[in-house]
Amino acid sequence: MWNSAENAFSRSASFREEGEDEEALRWAALERLPTYRRARRGIFKNLIGDTKEIDVRDLQAQEQRLLLERLVDCVDNDPERFFHRMRRRFDAVGLEFPKIEVRFKNLTVETYVHVGSRALPTIPNFICNMTEALLRQLRLYRRKRSKLTILADISGIIRPSRLTLLLGPPSSGKTTLLLALAGRLGPGLQMSGNITYNGHSLKEFVPQRTAAYVSQQDWHVAEMTVRETLQFAGRCQGVGFKFDMLLELARREKNAGIKPDEDLDLFMKSLALGGQETNLVVEYIMKVWTYVVTHWWEMKCSRASQGGKRSGLQQVTSKKDQEQYWSVLDRPYRYVPVGKFAEAFSFYREGRILSEELNIPFDRRYNHPAALATLSYGAKRLELLKTNFQWQKLLMKRNSFIYVFKFVQLLLVALITMSVFFRTTMHHNTIDDGGIYLGALYFSMVIILFNGFTEVSMLVAKLPVLYKHRDLHFYPSWAYTLPSWFLSIPTSLIEAGCWVAVSYYASGYDPAITRFFRQFLLFFFLHQMSIGLFRLIGSLGRNMIVANTFGSFAMLVVMTLGGYIISRDRIPIWWIWGFWISPLMYAQNSASVNEFLGHSWDKKAGNQTTYPLGKAVLKERSLYAESYWYWIGLGAMVGYTILFNILFTIFLAYLNPVGRQQAVVSKDELQEREKRRKGESVVIELREYLQRSASSGKHFKQRGMVLPFQPLSMAFRNINYYVDVPLYLCRETQQDLFNAMGSMYSAILFIGITNGTAVQPVVSVERFVSYRERAAGMYSALSFAFAQVVIEFPYVFAQAMIYSSIFYSMSSFVWTTDRFIWYLFFMYFTMLYFTFYGMMTTAVTPNHNVAAIIAAPFYMLWNLFSGFMIPHKRIPIWWRWYYWANPVAWSLYGLLTSQYGDDNHLVTLSNGNLMTIRQGTRVTLPFYMSSLAPAQ
């Protein structure tokens, strides 16, 4: 055996000649392969110099590192020299790279803007803007709008194989120009003029895959490393024309008898293969990136050691920055507008040459077939689907803590629910017993429904990245939504299975095994529907506060019109459509039929009805009693799941991210800007002239750019939208009283959870701002916290006053001053403690996403022990303490006591007896209506 360490330094000439002959034989064997196979194989030289023929896809990690080290070392860590090596290989066989020349002629971009205070992002302006947009679409409103010209009749040529620098002061239109050239102007901008790539207009190819615009804030998935991000982008973009170029290169080299460098050959073949075949290109990019960053840092340190001297081009077009460069000292300074610069350039020699070239169209015969992308996506649809599946699977692994936490949280809530609705305290003897089981089913479905709410925050956080992928044509929207839907199935199986396994037999549901599996199947599809619903809401809201508001409102509609809080026969006729579209209605009827048509409820219900006990319970609550409603409910869950995922795909494909508000421009400033753009004279006020004159003597001492705007900081408090709850509070039956209680219950939860959830992202942003301001010594932490709390008192009071006035006037409450004040009192403090609870969870967690997850289980427990689904007297003795510690229970107690505590109207109970409302609530409900003292 040869000693490798010694052999590397002591080979004889005959040994080297033998090795060279062996390598030549390997190249000869490689050239005899078909072109398609030859493009995938190369010659690899190991550390001691031995060569072997290898498939590019079989390169191991150690071999890749060795290959990269040789490629980088041979060019002395200079990426430019490496690319010159690649270029020389193509030039040796006369194979040209695709080149693109971009021309734009008479390009003008305009938009309509609001002027002055009308442009401020206030609620009245928002309402006016939406109304005007709707009326303009209907051609009912034709008010003239102010037009702002961003780019005005500009022309130019961007040459291929060059680095073009674009300079300009802020708000001069640099970003708009780049977006226009990349084919990514927003819908609110109007463009005229011509943009061509090699003589082809933007409609003749796919500009988003031919040119890329990288914004100042480039968005990436935080859970992925740089290497994984590059790999994902490479797989989505595909290899394009590179593989065809490689085949042609191999064919020409074979005909010319040229043997390429084996290391460069392997690298270029891996570059052309792309996909998951090799990570060699990504590793090289990482090496080059590390080198560039290191070089940049060294240059920065070198400049800093030289005193930070400034060099390079200076910007002289800014109105407030131009005066310091005025060189004609014998004349007073006068602002030279951009239009004058452009006019002077057009008479200059370079300007005339440019104009002449633009007048001669680009000869399309010189367009390389591979220069312009004509396909919408870089890889096959199936490959994009596989890539997205692996990407989202990776993200699920990185976010495994969230899923584990959700599962543990659900398990704990299931154990608590099981102990509350424990079979030893649950009976199957009366209609009231059936009502307790209905409450248990309702709470179970609400928990399954609410557990998908975390999808909102997770999706909204990823939306900027998804929009970027969409705009760059990485993949179609369905290639993202289908894998996300498929990967949610195991989560639904685990969570639904966990809940049913823990609670079904422990709570005393019908023991038939078929009904057990039916409930599991229903809860599984309910969870799938919930995930689809909240992903739809997140893609529609596109903003955390808006999405939370939409989500809370959706939960209100789904819960209130689901048939449990307000029975079907008491829903007003103008709201009955909401009952039929509520997913929870179908789930409630399906689960109820599955339970109450079982053997446990097949007994006599009493003398008041001929129905079995199970059907009597369903009839009492206006639920459907036919067995086929289980399958109707199950089919509805499947249908809603498909519908919500389709709508999620559509919204992801066509909705744009919520843009930033436009700049506030005064009418005078807009007119002055237009005059300067056109080169017209502008009247200068005496005060402004004197200020300029006073500063003219020291303009040579000023250095650096003066910002042409005044910095402005604005903060926006939480915005809530409220819709009146559908109510019909008739007082003739016990069910009507339960409906009244249900309306208050839904209102408390909706408004409370909306306040608590919506305030979290606002407080989170304010907290990060306070860190910087406190570090600057502007105020103390205590004063900031005190101000945060105090400011909520008047805001929440106004909120409570508006809501209470609308709600109380539309309900059938007795209109007396004292009752209205009590109602306002309890709603005000209910909103306050929910708001402060949301602020508290944000203060003790790193961000609002974690705060929302932490707050969710307490909302569930407050809901469970509110006294609505299970009366206080039916709660097991070991859990009654939590009822008294539950703030929602006290809110519900106070609201009902204030409205019905002294009501002596007669009602008919379920057993046929007549009682006053005051007496009946003491017997059937968990409240003692004698006074308001306990609730205070």
Side-chain angles (χ1 to χ4, degrees), residues 131-145:
T131 306
E132 286 184 10
L134 176 61
L135 294 178
R136 283 196 179 93
Q137 290 293 329
L138 300 176
R139 300 184 183 276
L140 299 176
Y141 184 81
R142 297 182 179 275
R143 180 183 176 185
K144 187 177 180 181
R145 293 178 290 175

Side-chain angles (χ1 to χ4, degrees), residues 24 107 127 282 307 334 404 450 482 487 530 589 711 751 756 790 880:
L107 182 63
I127 297 174
V282 174
R334 182 179 181 183
V404 172
F450 257 109
L482 278 181
L487 288 171
S530 169
N589 279 276
I751 296 179
V790 171
R880 289 186 187 176

